[in-house]
């Protein structure tokens, strides 16, 4: 039971809010650069910085430029970078074989970052959509996404990423049973220290639109992802999914998207106490940036507030396209 609060005027909440000093003293949560994972888009070529139209301020970078970005991120105190490849359409097939090619873009970028910036953790994405001519995260047969066959491919993709040097594997595919298959393969393959950050509660969301442009998957995708990603109406199901993934060997779990799903973040943190992350996805970024660029909101304040809210909701960290900007701002304040 809470002790009863003295009635007004003995209790005045505004006393504690009267100055920056007292506000800092009673702040319940903090945001630091150490809470951030920075998702970046990688593309072919040399010295290429190609803007993503639907995400102002975000670029697709060639491998040499990603290495420079990783250097900057590490110097800002950002602990991890997350790689998403923009795959040339000529390399997309229905068998998705590029996904486990040791020389694919993601693996080349991983090796280059490891060599130049060994202190930053590298997270990679496990799902077939960047490599699938049909745009889905799994194999498609007669219009249906195949669960078990997809898992075999995801295991190959996982091992090729671990062999390239990935520290954290991020399965974003939402197939059932993938975490135990990946964990067993990593153990058997001599990668016992590779972590899995499971996209455990990933919703079928309209907020991924700009991302699909960024990785070039929008054009390929037929239909939607509602047979494998979650229904936004559900909350208990998220708890069951997180429990399942933790029981299969996930080290950390993610809720995605972020801001419309803060209730799920809080429930997951309270239920399991496991390292819990939220992904502030492309559409959330685009909304804040778009409104700011139009002068409708203060973009910097909205950015900082949105990230603090993830901490308040129980998240240990946030994947956000704002990561370098936030880290720069935090370093100044
Ligand atoms: C696909 C994947 C998606 C995102 C990360 N991995 C999109 C999707 O599921 O269609 C979205 C990230 C974002 O919107 O920022 N495996």
């Amino acid at each position: 039971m809470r002790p009863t609060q003295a009635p007004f005027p003995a209790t005045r909440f505004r006393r504690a809010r009267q100055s920056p000093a007292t506000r800092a003293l009673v702040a319940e949560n903090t945001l630091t650069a150490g809470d951030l994972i920075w998702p970046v888009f990688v593309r072919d070529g040399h010295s290429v910085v190609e803007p993503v139209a639907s995400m102002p301020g975000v670029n697709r970078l060639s491998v040499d430029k990603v290495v420079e970005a990783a250097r900057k991120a590490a110097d800002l105190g950002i602990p991890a970078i997350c790689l998403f490849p923009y795959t040339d359409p000529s390399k997309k097939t229905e068998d998705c074989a590029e996904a486990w090619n040791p020389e694919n873009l993601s693996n080349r970028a991983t090796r280059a970052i490891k060599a130049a910036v060994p202190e930053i953790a590298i997270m990679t994405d496990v799902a077939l959509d960047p490599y699938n001519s049909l745009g889905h995260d799994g194999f498609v047969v007669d219009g249906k996404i195949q669960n078990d066959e997809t898992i075999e491919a995801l295991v190959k993709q996982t091992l090729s990423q671990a062999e390239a040097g990935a520290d954290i594997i991020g399965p974003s595919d939402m197939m059932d049973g993938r975490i135990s298959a990946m964990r067993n393969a990593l153990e058997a393959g001599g990668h016992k220290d590779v972590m899995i950050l499971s996209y455990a509660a990933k919703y079928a969301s309209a907020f991924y639109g700009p991302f699909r442009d960024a990785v070039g998957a929008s054009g390929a995708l037929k239909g939607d992802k509602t047979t494998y990603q979650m229904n936004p109406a559900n909350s208990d199901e998220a708890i069951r999914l997180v429990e399942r993934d933790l029981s299969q060997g996930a080290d950390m779990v993610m809720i995605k998207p972020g801001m419309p799903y803060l209730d799920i973040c809080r429930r997951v943190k309270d239920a399991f106490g496991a390292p819990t992350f939220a992904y502030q996805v492309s559409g959330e970024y685009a909304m804040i940036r778009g409104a700011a660029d139009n002068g409708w909101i203060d973009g910097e304040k909205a950015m900082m507030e949105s990230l603090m809210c993830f901490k308040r909701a129980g998240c240990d960290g946030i994947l956000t396209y704002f990561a370098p900007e936030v880290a720069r701002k935090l370093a100044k304040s």
Side-chain angles (χ1 to χ4, degrees):
M1 275 294 284
R2 284 173 188 279
T4 308
Q5 283 158 359
F8 175 83
T11 296
R12 287 182 187 268
F13 283 97
R14 291 186 54 194
R15 284 188 203 115
R17 294 187 204 127
Q18 64 187 287
S19 69
T22 60
R23 288 195 292 274
L25 272 178
V26 302
E28 296 175 37
N29 293 284
T30 51
L31 175 70
T32 72
D35 299 322
L36 306 173
I37 300 177
W38 184 25
V40 294
F41 300 112
V42 194
R43 53 152 294 154
D44 255 326
H46 189 79
S47 219
V48 185
V49 176
E50 177 185 40
V52 177
S54 48
M55 301 176 74
V58 170
N59 301 299
R60 299 185 193 104
L61 305 173
S62 53
V63 170
D64 55 311
K65 289 288 172 189
V66 168
V67 171
E68 281 176 24
R71 175 77 271 151
K72 234 184 293 164
D75 291 346
L76 284 165
I78 296 171
I81 194 165
C82 178
L83 305 177
F84 289 103
Y86 172 85
T87 306
D88 192 273
S90 70
K91 294 197 172 124
K92 297 187 188 201
T93 56
E94 285 191 36
D95 71 4
C96 308
E98 182 67 6
W100 51 92
N101 177 357
E103 294 305 318
N104 72 20
L105 206 43
S106 172
N107 289 334
R108 279 189 279 131
T110 299
R111 285 194 295 268
I113 296 170
K114 269 283 142 196
V117 195
E119 70 270 35
I120 202 160
I122 302 176
M123 174 170 168
T124 50
D125 191 62
V126 168
L128 300 181
D129 55 324
Y131 311 100
N132 192 343
S133 50
L134 300 171
H136 277 288
D137 293 23
F139 290 131
V140 185
V141 177
D142 297 333
K144 285 202 168 148
I145 318 303
Q146 305 296 307
N147 193 85
D148 303 8
E149 294 76 359
T150 298
I151 287 181
E152 287 172 33
L154 299 177
V155 164
K156 288 193 262 183
Q157 188 179 17
T158 299
L159 288 174
S160 97
Q161 293 175 354
E163 270 144 34
D167 302 287
I168 304 169
I169 306 279
S172 69
D173 55 285
M174 286 297 278
M175 297 300 119
D176 285 318
R178 79 244 209 246
I179 302 298
S180 60
M182 292 167 60
R183 176 52 75 209
N184 291 342
L186 288 168
E187 286 287 325
H191 302 293
K192 63 179 182 345
D193 288 336
V194 171
M195 305 178 81
I196 297 177
L197 169 44
S198 171
Y199 289 64
K202 177 173 178 180
Y203 288 85
S205 173
F207 291 99
Y208 307 149
F211 173 97
R212 292 179 190 166
D213 294 339
V215 298
S218 314
L221 182 64
K222 308 252 175 324
D224 59 34
K225 300 192 176 184
T226 47
T227 69
Y228 46 106
Q229 299 180 347
M230 283 179 69
N231 181 347
N234 294 357
S235 172
D236 293 342
E237 185 188 1
I239 302 303
R240 297 174 68 207
L241 287 168
V242 168
E243 182 171 35
R244 191 250 337 246
D245 286 4
L246 289 172
S247 77
Q248 293 186 1
D251 303 282
M252 310 177 273
V253 292
M254 190 201 298
I255 290 92
K256 178 183 177 188
M259 209 146 76
Y261 296 85
L262 292 179
D263 57 322
I264 310 296
C265 298
R266 170 49 66 195
R267 280 193 72 182
V268 165
K269 188 63 184 178
D270 287 349
F272 304 105
T276 302
F277 291 78
Y279 197 142
Q280 182 179 53
V281 300
S282 55
E284 300 174 63
Y285 173 88
M287 287 194 303
I288 294 175
R289 190 33 65 86
D293 289 352
N294 277 289
W296 297 334
I297 56 172
D298 180 324
E300 208 170 79
K301 285 197 177 135
M303 166 181 87
M304 299 307 282
E305 179 181 335
S306 67
L307 293 167
M308 181 62 86
C309 292
F310 288 109
K311 296 297 301 290
R312 191 203 62 230
C315 294
D316 297 283
I318 309 106
L319 288 93
T320 175
Y321 301 97
F322 287 120
E325 260 178 274
V326 174
R328 259 191 302 270
K329 176 143 174 68
L330 289 169
K332 271 192 257 149
S333 59

